[in-house]
């Protein structure tokens, strides 16, 4: 299994974290997460792996794409995080075309400790901040968004968006989402935001 | 407003730092050697290690030297240093049953297995100031050590053994209260996460072991004096060396050294619980680094009190006890009062002024009305 | 192989080890996702005393990188002794650039003030928080306040504010005026004066809060609704400096310091924010935060 050597766990992690923080603070904002050459297994997005490298370590658990064992092994080797079932995982990695049912099983925290909930990283084909063909238009409203923010995502299923809406229907309970695309762009939908899509 | 003067902050700090170093050295006495501090300030070091939550006698000695003997400041330095070290392993549970005993007493029985071992203690001496220590010479120390050595019967040394505990006697008789059903056995690491209440026993024990000795004593004393369950009996107090082992990644047990600890098992008064109407003895537990018997005793009193569930006394309230005996945090916050607060104060000032003004206006209004009334009555 | 690090003299980049940094980062993200909610965190010991800005340092050190420019203020001043000490510490362990200029900074760590100068979307403001729990004054136990937040049960808080009004004719809270964030959580803005509180609302920059001793992190993302608690008939108001003027600039639409002179009777006022004051003196262009309270004062002046 590949152990990434191009990744600097001090400085790369810091830069990528700041990118994620910026995206999470400004839902719908599309940021690029860097150009580090890493060799993720299969067609799993390098951007998702970089998000994982920035945030995961031995103290957290994760669930990878439909029990994808190669991704799981890759993450364990490179982050020391521990695989877990989807309902217990702190981080859940799925694909935008997966069935939304996986999302329905994610941990949404408890009222006293709503932060004890999953962060979901979803691989999608493309994320644009201008309208494009064959995309879902996602309209965000809430903290971090001045009035409303429109963002265009290719290859995210209605069932995932529907499931996400359901998981986040009882604020402050819910999950926080990071979308990554093939080009290395990321975009976030925290639970605090209301969204609709066309 | 001198300490926020326009741009002199950095210089002022540098000067203050230099000045305090000057105060440490200005008498030009022989520099204290770390080895000296380590051997002659043994108990101060034990306190520093306990409150500093790091078993490192050399570092504790260094901290004491640097901080001019302030135990709490030294503990603080040690904790800050500890925070820079990565935790690679958790040790296996140490067993005080295999302690190499240096001291062991019980006040609940006249004789205990292995006998009462007084060991090194000043408990039974008169606390008279000893003027002969004013001019202690190396020759005298040599002389003392030589004579002391002469009294040791080397033949007997090999007999020193480990002993079973006093509470084992009570346990064997079935007199000890079984663990409560609600007993939370979860093991947390208080240095890695914020505590949440109610916290499991592991948190209580860790926090108390790291707590400030004086703070623990104040609360434990309040508990004994009338604001708590009263006064327990020391089942056993032991001080000695225990082995520390870790299990490596391949599952092998590795001995990594030994540390000195003081352990106290406090037997408290007979208790009946909701679950059982039979009266039992209950045990409070204390374990601290080095020889710090007062702290171990106080810890055991508070630990028992916290588990008793009777929250009306401050010393029984977990949140109250654990938050407020945390010496390094308490000291920091107390001292932060020295920081400038004039922005905050100005805001309050503004409020009070307005309130006083409103009050004056109201009074004036009322006075006007009264005067008016008085005038009317006169007419 | 375990490295022999006995009596070493070097520390990790940004002091905190990477494991703990990651923990703080994960929790900061959650804090951003749930604005105003207090996330518990490990809060490792720092070589700075508890109560002296350890929480702020944890946040700053967990987010700072090689391209950041740090500004450190205490009571509005870059030169305050503790600000100097903290700035030195961060600089020593990261070699980051530091500045007094509010506009240049990418990270501003502060104690008890928000800068008068408007902050941009490229900036993060980090607050040092002594007591993160706004409900602590009305409920002393943590497990109970947590329940109150969980259930949005803020009746006790409102009652206390109302009682203050009945007694003294105003909600007497000065610094640290409680706010409602995103319509869900009551939050302590840290002991900033009321003057600064409206600047938390609908801001461009991200506000992060670290309470080290109490081991809590929280956040107010940009463009988030932050409302000071007020009643229909008792409105929140900022400090009144309408009758005084800054001794060096004549300006008074800013938070002011009141300085007693050596005679113990006369008082002089100065603009509190040291960098803002400098810019006023140098007549540099400076854009101030705007909010409805400041606007009202400015309108009245014209």
């Amino acid at each position: 299994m590949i152990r990434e050597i191009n990744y600097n766990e001090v400085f790369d992690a810091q830069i990528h974290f700041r990118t994620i923080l910026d995206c999470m603070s400004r839902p719908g904002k599309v940021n690029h997460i860097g150009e580090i050459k890493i060799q993720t297994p299969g067609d799993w997005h390098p951007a998702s792996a970089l998000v994982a490298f920035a945030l995961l370590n031995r103290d957290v658990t994760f669930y990878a794409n439909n029990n994808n064992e190669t991704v799981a092994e890759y993450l364990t080797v490179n982050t020391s995080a521990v695989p877990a079932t989807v309902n217990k995982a702190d981080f859940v990695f799925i694909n935008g075309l997966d069935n939304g049912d996986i999302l329905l099983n994610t941990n949404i925290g408890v009222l006293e400790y709503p932060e004890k909930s999953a962060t979901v990283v979803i691989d999608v084909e493309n994320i644009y901040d201008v309208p494009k063909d064959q995309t879902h238009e996602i309209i965000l409203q809430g903290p971090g968004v001045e009035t409303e923010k429109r963002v265009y995502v290719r290859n995210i299923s209605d069932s995932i968006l529907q499931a996400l809406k359901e998981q986040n229907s009882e604020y402050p309970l819910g999950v926080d989402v990071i979308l990554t695309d093939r080009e290395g762009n990321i975009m976030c939908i925290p639970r605090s935001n209301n969204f609709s899509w066309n | 407003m001198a300490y926020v003067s326009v741009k002199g902050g950095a210089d002022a700090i540098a000067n203050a730092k230099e000045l305090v170093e000057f105060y440490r050295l200005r008498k030009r006495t022989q520099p204290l050697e770390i080895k000296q501090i380590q051997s002659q300030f043994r108990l101060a070091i034990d306190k520093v290690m306990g409150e500093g939550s790091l078993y490192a006698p050399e570092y504790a000695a260094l901290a004491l030297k640097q901080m001019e003997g302030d135990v709490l400041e030294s503990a603080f330095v040690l904790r800050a240093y500890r925070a820079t070290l990565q935790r690679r392993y958790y040790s296996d549970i140490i067993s005080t049953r295999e302690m190499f005993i240096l001291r062991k007493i019980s006040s609940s029985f006249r004789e205990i297995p292995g006998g009462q071992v007084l060991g090194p203690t000043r408990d039974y001496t008169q606390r008279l100031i000893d003027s002969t220590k004013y001019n202690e010479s190396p020759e005298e120390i040599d002389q003392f050590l030589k004579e002391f050595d002469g009294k040791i019967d080397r033949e007997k040394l090999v007999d020193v053994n480990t002993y079973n505990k006093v509470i084992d006697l009570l346990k064997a008789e079935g007199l000890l209260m079984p663990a409560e059903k609600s007993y939370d056995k979860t093991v947390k690491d208080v240095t890695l996460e914020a505590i949440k209440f109610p916290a499991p026993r592991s948190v209580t024990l860790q926090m108390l072991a790291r707590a400030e000795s004086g703070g623990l004593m104040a609360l434990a004393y309040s508990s004994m004096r009338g604001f708590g369950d009263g006064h327990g009996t020391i089942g056993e107090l032991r001080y000695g060396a225990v082995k520390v082992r870790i299990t490596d990644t391949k599952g092998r047990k590795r001995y990594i050294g030994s540390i000195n600890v003081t352990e106290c098992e406090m037997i408290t008064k007979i208790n009946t619980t909701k679950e059982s109407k039979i009266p039992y003895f209950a045990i409070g537990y204390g374990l601290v680094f080095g020889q710090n018997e007062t702290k171990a005793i106080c810890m055991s009193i508070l630990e028992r009190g916290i588990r008793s569930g009777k929250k009306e006394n401050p010393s029984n309230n977990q949140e109250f006890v654990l938050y407020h005996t945390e010496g390094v945090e308490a000291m920091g916050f107390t001292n932060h009062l020295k920081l400038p607060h004039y922005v905050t104060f100005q805001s309050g000032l503004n409020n009070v002024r307005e309130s006083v003004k409103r009050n004056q206006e109201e009074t004036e209004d009322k006075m006007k009305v009264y005067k008016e009334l008085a005038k009317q009555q006169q007419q | 192989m375990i490295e022999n690090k006995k009596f070493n003299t070097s520390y990790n980049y940004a002091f905190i080890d990477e494991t703990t940094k990651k923990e703080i980062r994960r929790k900061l993200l959650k804090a951003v996702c749930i604005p105003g909610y207090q996330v518990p965190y490990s809060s490792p010991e720092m070589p700075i005393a508890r109560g002296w800005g350890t929480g702020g340092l944890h946040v700053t050190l967990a987010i700072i990188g090689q391209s950041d420019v740090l500004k450190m203020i205490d009571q509005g001043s870059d030169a305050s002794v503790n600000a100097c000490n903290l700035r030195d510490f961060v600089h020593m362990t990261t070699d980051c650039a530091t500045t007094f200029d509010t506009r240049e900074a990418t990270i501003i760590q502060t104690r008890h003030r928000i800068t008068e100068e408007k902050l941009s979307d490229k900036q993060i403001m980090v607050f040092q928080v002594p007591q993160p729990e706004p409900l602590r004054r009305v409920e002393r136990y943590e497990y109970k306040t947590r329940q109150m937040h969980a259930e949005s049960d803020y009746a006790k808080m409102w009652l206390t504010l109302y009682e203050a009004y009945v007694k003294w004719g105003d909600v007497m809270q000065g610094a640290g005026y409680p706010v409602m964030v995103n319509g869900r959580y009551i939050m302590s803005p840290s002991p900033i004066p009321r003057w600064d509180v409206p600047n938390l609302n609908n801001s461009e920059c991200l506000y992060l809060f670290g309470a080290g001793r109490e081991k809590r992190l929280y956040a107010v993302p940009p463009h988030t609704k932050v409302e000071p608690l007020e009643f229909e008939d008792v409105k929140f108001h900022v400090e009144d400096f309408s009758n005084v003027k800054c001794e060096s600039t004549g300006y008074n639409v800013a938070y002011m310091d009141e300085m007693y002179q050596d005679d113990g009777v006369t008082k002089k006022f100065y603009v509190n924010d040291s960098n803002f004051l400098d810019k006023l003196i140098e007549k540099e262009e400076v854009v101030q935060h705007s909010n409805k309270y400041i606007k009202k004062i400015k309108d009245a002046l014209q």
Side-chain angles (χ1 to χ4, degrees):
Chain A
M1 177 48 62
I2 289 164
R3 184 179 247 290
E4 299 293 354
I5 50 166
N6 286 330
Y7 185 77
N8 182 320
E9 67 161 26
V10 177
F11 297 111
D12 289 334
Q14 186 273 334
I15 291 169
H16 297 158
F17 163 72
R18 282 286 282 280
T19 309
I20 302 167
L21 182 66
D22 189 50
C23 284
M24 205 56 106
S25 312
R26 297 173 177 83
K29 182 174 179 189
V30 184
N31 273 331
H32 195 254
I33 197 169
E35 298 286 349
I36 295 161
K37 270 205 153 71
I38 53 169
Q39 297 178 303
T40 51
D43 56 358
W44 194 48
H45 290 178
S48 294
L50 292 178
V51 168
F53 291 178
L55 300 175
L56 271 60
N57 62 7
R58 66 183 157 96
D59 299 335
V60 294
T61 57
F62 71 90
Y63 170 87
N65 295 26
N66 293 319
N67 271 327
N68 185 329
E69 278 172 26
T70 25
V71 171
E73 201 188 328
Y74 175 82
L75 277 179
T76 316
V77 168
N78 286 290
T79 69
S80 307
V82 186
T85 53
V86 66
N87 57 332
K88 293 213 175 108
D90 299 314
F91 287 86
V92 172
F93 297 90
I94 59 172
N95 189 286
L97 296 176
D98 284 341
N99 191 308
D101 288 353
I102 313 173
L103 261 186
L104 293 178
N105 291 321
T106 49
N107 183 4
I108 57 169
V110 292
L111 277 175
E112 287 84 359
Y113 298 101
E115 88 283 9
K116 297 229 160 237
S117 55
T119 301
V120 182
V121 183
I122 307 176
D123 280 22
V124 296
E125 189 64 29
N126 296 102
I127 310 168
Y128 303 106
D129 47 16
V130 289
K132 292 271 174 170
D133 288 346
Q134 293 176 316
T135 56
H136 274 302
E137 179 188 47
I138 301 179
I139 305 146
L140 294 150
Q141 273 180 326
V145 179
E146 191 164 6
T147 46
E148 61 168 38
K149 173 83 188 167
R150 284 162 195 267
V151 62
Y152 304 86
V153 178
R154 185 169 293 141
N155 279 0
I156 186 161
S157 67
D158 285 315
S159 96
I160 282 200
L161 289 167
Q162 192 60 49
L164 179 60
K165 209 153 175 70
E166 205 157 306
Q167 284 300 77
N168 288 356
S169 60
E170 284 178 59
Y171 184 78
L173 302 183
V175 297
D176 309 298
V177 170
I178 304 172
L179 299 182
T180 72
D181 79 2
R182 200 164 286 289
E183 315 291 327
N185 295 313
I186 67 165
M187 190 274 280
C188 294
I189 310 177
R191 73 187 73 179
S192 59
N193 266 242
N194 236 324
F195 68 93
S196 56
W197 69 95
N198 306 308
Chain B
M1 209 70 53
Y3 66 157
V4 278
S5 70
V6 194
K7 289 278 186 285
D11 294 344
I13 305 182
N15 291 340
K17 198 173 150 192
E18 204 178 353
L19 192 60
V20 76
E21 189 63 0
F22 167 72
Y23 270 73
R24 190 173 75 82
L25 301 173
R26 64 179 184 164
K27 300 285 185 190
R28 276 184 212 281
T29 51
Q30 284 292 312
L32 286 168
E33 281 173 34
I34 296 302
K35 283 230 154 51
Q36 264 183 311
I37 302 173
Q38 230 182 306
S39 68
Q40 294 188 47
F41 278 3
R42 180 176 61 95
L43 298 175
I45 283 181
D46 285 352
K47 245 186 197 165
V48 170
M49 294 194 301
E51 291 167 18
S53 185
L54 184 71
Y55 200 94
E58 264 180 304
Y59 279 88
L62 187 60
L64 270 172
K65 177 175 173 170
Q66 184 186 335
M67 290 301 160
E68 300 182 76
D70 186 319
V71 169
L72 196 45
E73 281 282 359
S74 308
F76 174 23
V77 170
L78 209 56
R79 279 227 199 152
Y81 174 66
R82 180 192 190 284
T84 67
L85 306 172
Q86 211 150 16
R87 183 185 274 289
R88 292 172 196 274
Y89 296 97
Y90 283 93
S91 76
D92 295 346
I93 299 169
I94 57 165
S95 167
T96 49
R97 280 191 172 72
E98 56 167 38
M99 180 188 279
F100 181 87
I101 301 282
L102 298 172
R103 167 167 161 79
K104 143 175 111 80
I105 54 160
S106 168
S107 46
S108 32
F109 295 97
R110 183 168 162 184
E111 264 316 326
I112 50 173
Q116 310 261 11
V117 181
L118 294 193
T121 177
R122 291 193 178 82
D123 281 355
Y124 324 102
T125 60
Q126 293 104 30
R127 264 66 158 207
L128 295 171
I129 196 154
D130 180 3
S131 50
T132 60
K133 295 251 185 320
Y134 190 86
N135 285 316
E136 211 175 20
S137 67
E139 293 74 31
E140 281 172 284
I141 295 176
D142 279 344
Q143 179 69 15
F144 172 81
L145 290 176
K146 212 168 157 190
E147 280 173 24
F148 186 84
D149 199 50
K151 291 179 197 160
I152 294 171
D153 182 353
R154 304 213 165 263
E155 303 261 300
K156 278 191 181 164
L157 277 184
V158 288
D159 282 348
V160 176
N161 219 329
T162 57
Y163 303 101
N164 274 342
K165 287 186 173 184
V166 170
I167 55 161
D168 293 339
L169 306 175
L170 300 174
K171 212 176 189 174
E173 266 191 75
L175 301 179
L176 281 191
M177 190 170 78
E180 300 90 339
K181 272 190 191 140
S182 55
Y183 179 19
D184 185 350
K185 286 186 180 165
T186 331
V187 179
K188 303 253 180 202
D189 182 341
V190 297
T191 64
L192 295 182
E193 58 184 303
I195 47 174
K196 293 161 190 167
F197 292 100
R201 190 176 178 220
S202 63
V203 166
T204 305
L205 292 170
Q206 285 170 54
M207 294 282 292
L208 291 177
R210 286 157 54 95
E212 203 264 328
S213 308
L216 281 192
M217 188 171 70
L219 288 183
Y221 180 51
S222 80
S223 166
M224 285 185 277
R225 224 191 119 258
F227 293 80
D229 286 340
H231 131 2
T233 312
I234 292 179
E236 190 171 352
L237 178 75
R238 29 169 89 184
Y239 164 60
V242 289
K243 289 178 174 157
V244 181
R245 300 182 185 88
I246 53 167
T247 307
D248 69 15
T249 44
K250 297 210 169 86
R252 288 172 301 197
K253 299 234 179 262
R254 299 292 187 113
Y255 167 75
I256 58 166
S258 78
I259 61 173
N260 284 6
V261 296
T262 309
E263 181 189 51
C264 178
E265 280 161 341
M266 181 68 68
I267 305 175
T268 58
K269 66 176 181 196
I270 297 153
N271 275 328
T272 52
T273 64
K274 269 185 202 152
E275 291 160 20
S276 144
K277 293 281 167 250
I278 316 165
Y280 282 114
F281 285 123
I283 295 288
Y285 188 75
L287 183 91
V288 299
F289 281 161
Q291 187 173 17
N292 190 346
E293 295 171 15
T294 314
K295 185 173 172 184
I297 292 168
C298 293
M299 176 172 169
S300 66
I301 292 170
L302 292 170
E303 198 268 326
R304 182 60 232 157
I306 287 168
R307 278 204 291 161
S308 75
K310 296 179 214 153
K311 279 196 183 163
E312 63 277 14
N313 297 312
S315 63
N316 288 355
N317 188 302
Q318 189 183 41
E319 189 172 334
F320 186 86
V321 173
L322 299 190
Y323 270 153
H324 301 126
T325 55
E326 175 36 66
V328 172
E329 282 172 16
M331 177 188 69
F333 199 58
T334 306
N335 280 300
H336 111 283
L337 298 179
K338 293 183 284 191
L339 287 174
H341 278 81
Y342 55 91
V343 165
T344 330
F345 190 73
Q346 175 67 254
S347 190
L349 207 60
N350 211 288
N351 263 340
V352 174
R353 276 182 188 146
E354 279 170 27
S355 180
V356 169
K357 201 171 138 203
R358 267 196 304 278
N359 195 8
Q360 278 170 349
E361 282 165 4
E362 265 174 42
T363 317
E364 275 163 23
D365 288 349
K366 275 182 198 159
M367 289 304 289
K368 260 185 212 161
V369 176
Y370 289 145
K371 278 178 188 163
E372 206 55 39
L373 279 174
K375 231 187 229 171
Q376 283 172 11
Q377 276 176 357
Q378 274 177 358
Q379 288 166 358
Chain C
M1 202 49 196
I2 293 174
E3 196 184 338
N4 184 9
K5 282 194 176 166
K6 207 170 175 186
F7 300 114
N8 68 353
T9 50
S10 65
Y11 288 105
N12 200 23
Y13 176 80
F15 192 77
I16 304 171
D17 66 275
E18 295 306 314
T19 312
T20 310
K21 269 189 208 160
K22 270 189 181 161
E23 185 233 8
I24 297 174
R25 288 169 182 169
R26 288 194 295 263
K27 290 184 173 161
L28 284 174
L29 286 177
K30 288 296 179 192
V32 166
C33 294
I34 317 168
Y37 165 77
Q38 301 164 47
V39 185
Y41 79 112
S42 64
S43 185
E45 253 99 15
M46 298 301 274
I48 303 293
R50 292 293 195 191
W52 293 61
T54 50
L57 275 182
H58 287 142
V59 175
T60 298
L61 293 172
I63 66 175
I64 201 165
Q66 288 165 310
S67 57
D68 277 309
V69 181
L70 177 75
K71 175 181 166 80
M72 183 78 76
I73 49 175
D74 184 338
Q75 307 277 307
S77 169
D78 295 284
S80 180
V81 280
N82 199 45
C84 292
N85 189 32
L86 298 184
R87 186 189 306 114
D88 274 358
F89 176 62
V90 178
H91 176 73
M92 186 182 84
T93 55
T94 61
D95 204 25
C96 68
T98 61
T99 184
F100 290 167
D101 186 347
T102 305
R103 203 169 357 183
E104 263 182 19
T106 55
I107 299 173
I108 303 175
Q109 183 174 327
T110 178
R111 176 170 170 267
H112 301 189
R113 258 331 295 272
I114 292 177
T115 54
E116 296 287 349
E117 189 168 351
K118 193 172 162 48
L119 300 173
S120 77
D121 63 349
K122 300 281 181 289
Q123 296 178 303
I124 298 177
M125 184 153 232
V126 179
F127 294 79
Q128 299 167 203
V129 184
Q131 175 52 267
E133 183 49 77
L135 306 176
R136 192 61 73 232
R137 293 178 302 140
V138 301
E139 172 51 61
R140 59 175 71 152
Y141 288 112
E142 164 68 17
Y143 72 97
K144 284 189 187 159
T145 48
R146 197 147 275 270
Q147 200 66 37
M148 288 158 78
H149 283 298
E151 292 162 2
S152 261
D153 171 11
Y154 294 136
K156 243 183 169 173
M157 186 70 176
W158 285 108
L159 189 65
T160 312
L161 294 181
Y162 187 71
E163 277 171 359
Y165 167 62
V166 171
K167 249 191 212 164
W168 296 295
D170 191 9
V171 174
M172 287 296 280
Q173 182 78 27
Y177 196 97
V179 293
M180 176 65 84
V181 179
N182 188 26
R184 178 58 179 76
Y185 286 104
I186 289 187
M187 183 191 93
S188 163
S190 88
I192 54 173
R194 282 167 299 161
W195 183 269
D196 291 340
V197 170
N199 297 337
L200 289 169
N201 183 52
N202 194 24
S203 70
E204 291 291 332
C205 72
L206 168 65
Y207 293 117
L208 298 175
F209 298 78
R213 197 177 39 82
E214 296 283 338
K215 304 179 175 60
R216 299 289 184 272
L217 301 170
Y218 52 101
V220 175
H223 302 297
T224 300
K225 203 166 164 193
V226 179
E227 307 150 289
L229 301 186
E230 57 183 8
F231 298 96
E232 284 280 304
D233 48 347
V234 192
K235 292 292 186 192
F236 168 85
H237 56 92
V238 297
E239 290 82 358
D240 180 13
F241 297 109
S242 54
N243 296 322
V244 300
K245 270 193 167 49
C246 173
E247 203 67 29
S248 4
T249 60
Y251 195 69
N252 75 345
V253 193
Y255 195 75
M256 304 288 244
D257 285 341
E258 170 176 337
M259 299 198 195
Y260 272 97
Q261 299 305 296
D262 288 346
D263 62 9
V265 186
T266 38
K267 289 182 286 186
K268 286 183 176 172
F269 285 82
Y270 294 91
V271 167
N272 164 269
D273 183 325
S274 62
N275 184 243
F276 188 69
L277 177 63
D278 285 349
K279 286 181 178 169
L280 287 179
I281 293 172
E282 300 295 327
K283 300 206 163 36
E284 276 178 48
E285 198 179 322
V286 50
V287 182
Q288 202 173 353
H289 275 287
S290 63
N291 61 53
K292 63 177 178 185
Y293 304 91
I294 290 184
K295 203 164 169 285
K296 212 168 138 192
I297 296 169
K298 285 192 171 165
D299 287 350
L301 284 175
Q302 278 166 5

